[in-house]
Amino acid sequence: DGAKDTLKDGGLINFQKRQKTADVIGEITKFQMQPYNLTKLVAIRNFIEDCLNNLDNAPDFWQLSLEREPREREDEKMARLLQESGFL
Protein backbone atom coordinates (compact mmCIF):
# COMPACT_ATOMS: atom_id res chain seq x y z
CA ASP A 1 0.00 0.00 0.00
CA GLY A 2 1.00 3.63 -0.19
CA ALA A 3 1.27 4.34 3.55
CA LYS A 4 4.79 4.57 4.96
CA ASP A 5 5.99 2.10 7.61
CA THR A 6 7.32 4.97 9.69
CA LEU A 7 6.21 8.51 10.37
CA LYS A 8 8.19 11.53 9.14
CA ASP A 9 9.02 12.69 12.66
CA GLY A 10 11.93 10.64 13.96
CA GLY A 11 11.13 7.35 12.25
CA LEU A 12 8.35 6.35 14.64
CA ILE A 13 6.29 3.29 13.72
CA ASN A 14 3.11 4.07 11.81
CA PHE A 15 0.67 2.34 14.17
CA GLN A 16 -2.33 3.49 12.14
CA LYS A 17 -1.04 1.41 9.21
CA ARG A 18 -0.43 -1.57 11.51
CA GLN A 19 -3.95 -1.24 12.98
CA LYS A 20 -5.50 -1.19 9.49
CA THR A 21 -3.51 -4.31 8.56
CA ALA A 22 -4.70 -6.06 11.74
CA ASP A 23 -8.32 -5.06 10.99
CA VAL A 24 -8.15 -6.50 7.47
CA ILE A 25 -6.57 -9.75 8.70
CA GLY A 26 -9.28 -9.97 11.37
CA GLU A 27 -12.01 -9.62 8.75
CA ILE A 28 -10.43 -12.29 6.55
CA THR A 29 -10.11 -14.65 9.52
CA LYS A 30 -13.73 -14.05 10.51
CA PHE A 31 -15.05 -14.94 7.06
CA GLN A 32 -12.77 -17.96 6.75
CA MET A 33 -14.31 -19.41 9.93
CA GLN A 34 -17.82 -19.50 8.45
CA PRO A 35 -18.80 -22.61 6.49
CA TYR A 36 -20.29 -21.87 3.10
CA ASN A 37 -22.89 -24.31 1.84
CA LEU A 38 -22.61 -23.70 -1.87
CA THR A 39 -24.60 -25.70 -4.37
CA LYS A 40 -22.87 -26.93 -7.51
CA LEU A 41 -24.52 -25.48 -10.59
CA VAL A 42 -23.64 -27.59 -13.61
CA ALA A 43 -24.50 -24.87 -16.15
CA ILE A 44 -22.17 -22.37 -14.48
CA ARG A 45 -19.41 -24.93 -14.09
CA ASN A 46 -19.65 -25.86 -17.77
CA PHE A 47 -19.58 -22.20 -18.75
CA ILE A 48 -16.42 -21.55 -16.74
CA GLU A 49 -14.73 -24.67 -18.11
CA ASP A 50 -15.61 -23.63 -21.67
CA CYS A 51 -14.17 -20.16 -21.08
CA LEU A 52 -10.97 -21.60 -19.65
CA ASN A 53 -10.63 -23.99 -22.56
CA ASN A 54 -11.01 -21.10 -24.99
CA LEU A 55 -8.08 -19.30 -23.37
CA ASP A 56 -5.73 -21.55 -25.33
CA ASN A 57 -6.76 -19.58 -28.42
CA ALA A 58 -6.46 -16.19 -26.70
CA PRO A 59 -3.52 -13.83 -27.20
CA ASP A 60 -0.66 -13.87 -24.72
CA PHE A 61 -2.06 -11.46 -22.14
CA TRP A 62 1.19 -11.42 -20.16
CA GLN A 63 3.08 -10.20 -23.22
CA LEU A 64 0.40 -7.61 -23.99
CA SER A 65 0.63 -6.39 -20.40
CA LEU A 66 4.41 -6.02 -20.62
CA GLU A 67 4.10 -4.06 -23.86
CA ARG A 68 1.62 -1.64 -22.33
CA GLU A 69 3.35 -1.37 -18.94
CA PRO A 70 6.97 -2.51 -19.07
CA ARG A 71 8.50 -4.05 -15.97
CA GLU A 72 10.75 -1.93 -13.83
CA ARG A 73 14.46 -2.44 -14.55
CA GLU A 74 16.51 -3.82 -11.65
CA ASP A 75 18.55 -0.61 -11.28
CA GLU A 76 15.34 1.48 -11.27
CA LYS A 77 13.81 -0.82 -8.69
CA MET A 78 16.87 -0.60 -6.44
CA ALA A 79 16.93 3.22 -6.68
CA ARG A 80 13.21 3.40 -5.87
CA LEU A 81 13.55 1.08 -2.86
CA LEU A 82 16.54 3.01 -1.52
CA GLN A 83 14.64 6.27 -1.91
CA GLU A 84 11.51 4.88 -0.21
CA SER A 85 13.57 3.55 2.69
CA GLY A 86 15.25 6.92 3.19
CA PHE A 87 18.77 5.97 2.13
CA LEU A 88 18.72 8.38 -0.82
Side-chain angles (χ1 to χ4, degrees):
D1 65 55
K4 299 282 186 187
D5 289 332
T6 57
L7 302 175
K8 294 179 184 177
D9 314 354
L12 300 173
I13 295 172
N14 185 351
F15 280 102
Q16 188 173 16
K17 177 181 178 178
R18 301 293 173 223
Q19 183 62 50
K20 181 66 177 168
T21 302
D23 292 343
V24 170
I25 292 172
E27 287 288 312
I28 291 170
T29 304
K30 180 176 87 173
F31 287 110
Q32 286 179 339
M33 299 299 273
Q34 290 181 338
Y36 293 95
N37 298 319
L38 303 175
T39 305
K40 291 182 182 178
L41 299 174
V42 176
I44 293 176
R45 182 178 179 164
N46 290 338
F47 172 77
I48 292 172
E49 286 177 349
D50 289 343
C51 289
L52 292 174
N53 290 333
N54 289 335
L55 284 178
D56 292 337
N57 302 329
D60 184 0
F61 290 112
W62 177 254
Q63 188 59 40
L64 289 173
S65 172
L66 290 177
E67 289 170 9
R68 285 168 177 73
E69 188 175 332
R71 294 187 76 172
E72 191 174 39
R73 291 190 336 240
E74 284 301 315
D75 58 331
E76 293 173 334
K77 181 178 179 181
M78 183 60 68
R80 179 181 55 79
L81 292 173
L82 288 171
Q83 186 174 15
E84 288 175 359
S85 65
F87 284 106
L88 292 180

